[in-house]
Amino acid sequence: MKETLAELERWGADVIFGRAKGFRASMMRLAMSALSGVYRGLVQTRLLVYRRRWRQQHHLGTLVVSIGNLTVGGTGKTPVVELLARTLRDEGRRVAILSRGYKSRRLKTPQNWKDKDGNKLPPDKMPKVVSTGRALLLDSKFAGDEPFMLARNLNGVAVVVDKDRVKGGRFAVGQLGADTLVLDDGLQYLHLAHGIDIVLVDRSAPFGTGAILPRGTLREPPRNLCRASYILITKCDGTPNDALIERLRRYNRVAPIIECTHGPRYLEEVFTGEHQPLDFLKDKWTAAISGIAVPEGFERSLEKLGARVEIRRRFSDHHRFSRKEIDKFMERCIERDMELVVTTEKDAVRFPRPKEVIVPVYFLRIEVEILKGHDDWSDLIARLCHPGAPGDPVLRHRDAYAM
């Protein structure tokens, strides 16, 4: 059953991205197009409900920064969340990341937590605490891929998972002492008020496939970019983005636009932690395996670094690899005389150890670097770390800046 559902999910993605051909795929795209109109109406109605305050947003009396996008996956959001959280931490903020924990498993029993008075917190008040900032408490199975990865990479930053980000935020502020909440994938989460909305736009596919869900990968129409406080163009390669910036300005005339690259930094062996420089890939016969939204970008990165990518194994986004799948894949790599296996960092956190590690398995470490808009990025950090003018919408509650 699990394998059948995974196959259907992969086929659905192929239909959306145009990779699936034939009569059945064409009929499915036609049906999805009709549903996209309904979805668009629901999205805009929901925004109107919150804009008119027919449904109230929650204000937690602290600084809330949302990082999100208009499309489903593929914009490089997690490295940006990591960069922002690390920078704010280094500037003295007490940061907690709030995540939905997409495809994470439910805990059989809530974690045991006592408040400052020694009283056990009721289960309905307990989110999943992935990290307190000092200790890592959950693995990727119960935390989710990105929350676990962020918690592992960010000492001193708490990570809390709950579909109800208001509950997670209250816990982070009240129990973990957070004074800054970073809302991971938060543009569409309107139940919690945001002081700042950072919206990411992938340079190579700024509005995804150009169609609204379920026919395409857009969660909202492009005109909703007007809600962005800052726009980050991701995955830049140093060439001018004038045409894209002109297009973005049709929807948002005032938000500072920052250009950045998601560049590979090094390779890390999944099971030993050994690091290798990027030129280690040059002319190596390589097998690429991933379970991400846009595997083509990952595979192109390996080729640009000189790898000879001979085997490409793709799973659906957030797929949890089974030992059987990995053993079968490794057997194929051995038969084809592969010199190494490379996966993504997100996939590495749920990569089971194969029966025999004959071919070494590495993940490609990706980090964000600001290419243009350094002053705007510095202004953003300063705005978040220091009190501003009383009219600044970031200041939902000035006590949030008490250090």
Side-chain angles (χ1 to χ4, degrees), residues 223-403:
R223 64 190 176 117
N224 288 6
L225 191 65
C226 64
R227 305 209 309 279
S229 311
Y230 290 82
I231 298 170
L232 264 66
I233 303 177
T234 63
K235 303 181 183 179
C236 298
D237 58 6
T239 57
N241 291 309
D242 297 345
L244 175 56
I245 291 172
E246 183 179 349
R247 188 178 177 190
L248 296 176
R249 285 298 181 214
R250 297 177 198 167
Y251 308 113
N252 191 316
R253 296 184 178 183
V254 297
I257 295 177
I258 300 167
E259 300 174 50
C260 61
T261 181
H262 285 55
R265 292 294 178 262
Y266 56 83
L267 294 158
E268 182 173 328
E269 219 283 342
V270 171
F271 305 112
T272 67
E274 174 195 13
H275 285 204
Q276 294 287 357
L278 296 176
D279 59 12
F280 179 72
L281 279 172
K282 190 169 178 58
D283 294 327
K284 292 280 198 314
W285 292 104
T286 303
I289 180 170
S290 61
I292 55 177
V294 188
E296 296 89 349
F298 164 63
E299 293 160 5
R300 281 196 299 269
S301 295
L302 298 180
E303 291 173 332
K304 286 179 181 177
L305 292 169
R308 297 182 177 183
V309 182
E310 182 70 11
I311 298 175
R312 304 164 195 263
R313 185 68 172 96
R314 301 170 179 177
F315 292 86
S316 57
D317 196 15
H318 294 274
H319 177 79
R320 184 158 289 279
F321 307 113
S322 69
R323 171 78 177 272
K324 182 180 177 181
E325 288 170 337
I326 294 303
D327 283 342
K328 185 177 179 180
F329 174 74
M330 294 300 283
E331 286 173 8
R332 185 182 172 198
C333 293
I334 294 167
E335 290 170 359
R336 299 282 293 275
D337 292 326
M338 293 297 101
E339 295 179 80
L340 70 161
V341 172
V342 185
T343 189
T344 70
E345 186 173 6
K346 188 176 83 169
D347 292 310
V349 303
R350 46 185 158 74
F351 202 99
R353 190 181 186 92
K355 184 169 56 179
E356 292 183 283
V357 188
I358 295 175
V359 182
V361 182
Y362 292 87
F363 70 79
L364 190 63
R365 170 65 178 171
I366 301 294
E367 294 180 3
V368 174
E369 180 183 354
I370 305 298
L371 296 180
K372 291 185 179 179
H374 292 88
D375 290 343
D376 289 324
W377 178 261
S378 298
D379 289 345
L380 168 62
I381 299 304
R383 188 180 179 193
L384 297 176
C385 292
H386 305 289
D392 192 330
V394 167
L395 304 179
R396 297 296 185 188
H397 196 302
R398 289 189 66 85
D399 290 346
Y401 288 86
M403 300 298 285

Side-chain angles (χ1 to χ4, degrees), residues 91-321:
E91 290 292 327
R93 304 303 297 178
R94 297 187 293 274
V95 181
I97 297 171
L98 306 182
S99 176
R100 177 189 172 192
Y102 182 63
K103 286 197 175 182
S104 63
R105 292 191 183 178
R106 186 191 299 265
L107 293 171
K108 292 181 179 178
T109 56
Q111 292 162 286
N112 187 19
W113 189 276
K114 292 183 179 180
D115 63 20
K116 59 183 178 182
D117 298 321
N119 301 314
K120 185 177 178 180
L121 216 62
D124 63 325
K125 303 290 185 185
M126 271 303 299
K128 290 190 287 189
V129 186
V130 181
S131 170
T132 62
R134 297 179 297 277
L136 189 59
L137 304 182
L138 295 176
D139 62 16
S140 65
K141 182 189 298 183
F142 295 103
D145 306 338
E146 291 95 340
F148 178 79
M149 191 173 86
L150 289 166
R152 188 178 63 178
N153 291 340
L154 291 168
N155 291 325
V157 174
V159 180
V160 175
V161 163
D162 202 288
K163 289 182 180 178
D164 182 353
R165 256 71 72 85
V166 175
K167 180 173 82 173
R170 284 187 177 132
F171 180 90
V173 173
Q175 302 298 320
L176 301 176
D179 61 23
T180 306
L181 303 176
V182 176
L183 191 56
D184 182 15
D185 198 15
L187 182 63
Q188 289 77 32
Y189 193 80
L190 305 177
H191 202 43
L192 177 61
H194 316 160
I196 289 285
D197 269 302
I198 301 172
V199 180
L200 310 187
V201 174
D202 183 349
R203 178 186 185 275
S204 60
F207 299 110
T209 61
I212 300 282
L213 287 167
R215 172 60 185 90
T217 56
L218 272 171
R219 294 171 170 178
E220 304 184 44
R223 64 190 176 117
N224 288 6
L225 191 65
C226 64
R227 305 209 309 279
S229 311
Y230 290 82
I231 298 170
L232 264 66
I233 303 177
T234 63
K235 303 181 183 179
C236 298
D237 58 6
T239 57
N241 291 309
D242 297 345
L244 175 56
I245 291 172
E246 183 179 349
R247 188 178 177 190
L248 296 176
R249 285 298 181 214
R250 297 177 198 167
Y251 308 113
N252 191 316
R253 296 184 178 183
V254 297
I257 295 177
I258 300 167
E259 300 174 50
C260 61
T261 181
H262 285 55
R265 292 294 178 262
Y266 56 83
L267 294 158
E268 182 173 328
E269 219 283 342
V270 171
F271 305 112
T272 67
E274 174 195 13
H275 285 204
Q276 294 287 357
L278 296 176
D279 59 12
F280 179 72
L281 279 172
K282 190 169 178 58
D283 294 327
K284 292 280 198 314
W285 292 104
T286 303
I289 180 170
S290 61
I292 55 177
V294 188
E296 296 89 349
F298 164 63
E299 293 160 5
R300 281 196 299 269
S301 295
L302 298 180
E303 291 173 332
K304 286 179 181 177
L305 292 169
R308 297 182 177 183
V309 182
E310 182 70 11
I311 298 175
R312 304 164 195 263
R313 185 68 172 96
R314 301 170 179 177
F315 292 86
S316 57
D317 196 15
H318 294 274
H319 177 79
R320 184 158 289 279
F321 307 113

